[in-house]
Amino acid sequence: MTFRKDFLWGGATAANQCEGAYDVDGRGLANVDLCPVGEDRLAVITGRQKMLEFDDDHFYPAKHSIDMYHNYKEDIKLFAEMGFGVYRFSIAWTRIFPLGDEETPNEKGLKFYEAIIDECLKYDIEPLITLVHFDFPMHLANKYGGWRNRKTIEFYAKFVRTVIERFKGKVKYYLNFNEMNVLMAAPFMGAGLYFEEDENIKEIQYLAAHHELVASARAKQITKEVDPEIMMGCMLAAGKYYPAACKPEDVLAAQEADRNNYFFVDVQSRGYYPSYMVKKLEREGIMPEITEEDEKLLRENTIDFISFSYYTTRTISGDKNAALDKANLLDTIENPYLDKTEWGWQIDPLGFRITINEIHDRYQKPLFVVENGLGAKDIPDENGYVEDDYRIDYLRAHIKAMKNAVELDGADILGYTTWGPIDLVSAGTGEMSKRYGFIYVDRDDYGEGTLKRSKKKSFDWYKKVIASNGEDLE
Ligand code: P53
């Protein structure tokens, strides 16, 4: 058998993309609530257009999403039926600390996640918790400037301690932040940052990144104190950069682009800033203040495993004027060797193996693939059944590639969770119609639909994959 005996198969979601119930049981307002569907979304999530409260001209899909808040039992039961060994979900910070700077947590929020965890454990599903999946309390953003303020580290630390103490003994796997590198591409959605006109955006992004990095070290420090059994991972939006040609200028550009992403993992895994980033930040005059205390924290609290999402590789040219393909939040130029999804994301299973190998080589720590999948339009029949062979094909090809990375290249992988095992709101576009699930949810881009759940063809396929520990992919 290729995969380890205890390999964890499952699926992954994020609070803001599935829970809904944005104002229920004391939950506070978060950045992710304010990202509308439609043509303004990109400007909002990238921080170019301020959206600090709801207005009547936009539809905000996260408000109600697929209402997993009220359907989690039914949904987890379906995950169990597929044989999930792990369910990755995130905790909405604003359910626990609605404003972010309170003294005491919101008990109703804690109860909700406790119920989800207990529901998982009932079916022998290991909960894998993302502490922060893009969400950030708006109160902290408005009052303190969010992650650009050092104080945020302690607000986060308090949130983390509250969660970890409460769920001690029940939860073994945590991720400190989802895709920290998305902070660079989408600072509002990714970290609740918005900017004033005269601000140096890049400087603030790296300052915020530094605070998040120190915060993630604090999270590890807290788990060591509270429950040393916990495995704390970091999380990267992965995907190798290819040079557009074998031209050395292109290769150098690809190396630099990879480094810009790996920077976050380099710090979290090795415990110090890599020299290429020190040089770059100094050269550009935007080096954040790094205290001795920060340095000590980073050094002593490195992560235990590395998790990442993989959807595609990216291609880059040394020529700054090369035309960019804007389909994905992370820039790429078109790779003529690859097919694309309906949303223009390039499909590259072999790139998955290449990416896994690179991360394995670079860090020599256990890996966890916590997102992979195909966002596609599904057309259900009258019973809600979808014949989604295209999704099966995508996943099969990627699991085969992952298998090769283990069997032929020796990567050490703890588990694999597909993105959105149940249809949910897209982070990039805010659409419901960009579906990833094995379970169809009757809801459209503007909130119409019964929310009824139904199994797609891929449901039984994934069940078989799990039952055979990845051997039966047909
Ligand atoms: P959607 C861009 C690039 C890489 C990962 O994305 C990304 C994004 C955001 O578009 O996000 C991750 O929903 C993220 C999930 C997200 C998923 O990829 O745009 O962790 O929250 O839903 C898929 O198709």
Side-chain angles (χ1 to χ4, degrees), residues 74-141:
E74 186 197 339
D75 297 340
I76 293 172
K77 187 164 181 235
L78 287 166
F79 299 161
E81 199 184 322
M82 274 186 278
F84 276 25
V86 60
Y87 171 38
R88 173 185 175 227
F89 59 93
S90 81
I91 293 193
W93 188 337
T94 52
R95 287 199 195 284
I96 312 302
F97 289 98
L99 297 173
D101 58 0
E102 297 93 334
E103 273 306 308
T104 47
N106 172 24
E107 179 58 25
K108 284 184 176 158
L110 287 165
K111 279 239 164 64
F112 170 64
Y113 292 107
E114 190 155 55
I116 292 205
I117 292 165
D118 289 343
E119 204 61 23
C120 288
L121 297 177
K122 180 170 123 189
Y123 297 110
D124 279 328
I125 297 174
E126 192 84 55
L128 163 53
I129 293 187
T130 316
L131 288 159
V132 168
H133 192 121
F134 295 155
D135 58 324
F136 191 77
M138 278 314 287
H139 172 75
L140 294 186

Side-chain angles (χ1 to χ4, degrees), residues 14 17 88 133-134 178-179 182 189 235 237 309 311 314 328-330 345 371 419 424-429 434 436:
Q17 292 171 256
R88 173 185 175 227
H133 192 121
F134 295 155
N178 183 63
E179 301 186 335
V182 164
M189 179 180 74
M235 195 319 193
S309 61
Y311 295 92
R314 296 165 233 286
N328 196 300
L329 216 51
L330 304 178
W345 289 22
E371 285 181 34
W419 176 249
L424 37 65
V425 174
S426 157
T429 71
K434 191 180 185 190
Y436 286 87

Side-chain angles (χ1 to χ4, degrees), residues 143-270:
K143 183 167 174 193
Y144 301 91
W147 280 108
R148 60 155 81 60
N149 190 329
R150 188 171 270 277
K151 283 200 178 115
T152 306
I153 299 171
E154 287 316 306
F155 297 136
Y156 170 86
K158 183 157 186 183
F159 160 65
V160 171
R161 183 181 290 280
T162 304
V163 167
I164 281 170
E165 282 179 350
R166 177 66 168 246
F167 303 138
K168 185 175 171 181
K170 291 187 176 182
V171 181
K172 184 172 169 208
Y173 296 96
Y174 282 95
L175 305 179
N176 45 37
F177 288 91
N178 183 63
E179 301 186 335
M180 217 186 267
N181 52 325
V182 164
L183 161 68
M184 303 309 292
F188 184 68
M189 179 180 74
L193 284 176
Y194 56 90
F195 308 99
E196 302 311 324
E197 255 173 35
D198 53 348
E199 284 186 312
N200 180 338
I201 291 179
K202 205 164 166 197
E203 180 171 17
I204 290 169
Q205 282 172 308
Y206 277 107
L207 180 62
H210 177 66
H211 293 152
E212 285 199 7
L213 288 166
V214 175
S216 70
R218 286 280 284 126
K220 173 64 194 172
Q221 185 188 44
I222 292 164
T223 60
K224 284 196 297 197
E225 273 168 44
V226 177
D227 183 358
E229 296 291 298
I230 286 174
M231 295 271 287
M232 177 63 75
C234 62
M235 195 319 193
L236 171 77
K240 169 105 193 107
Y241 274 93
Y242 296 151
C246 48
K247 207 169 142 195
E249 285 80 358
D250 292 359
V251 177
L252 185 69
Q255 183 174 60
E256 197 186 331
D258 275 335
R259 279 175 160 177
N260 285 340
N261 278 332
Y262 287 134
F263 158 62
F264 302 89
V265 187
D266 284 356
V267 177
Q268 297 186 88
S269 179
R270 298 168 177 163

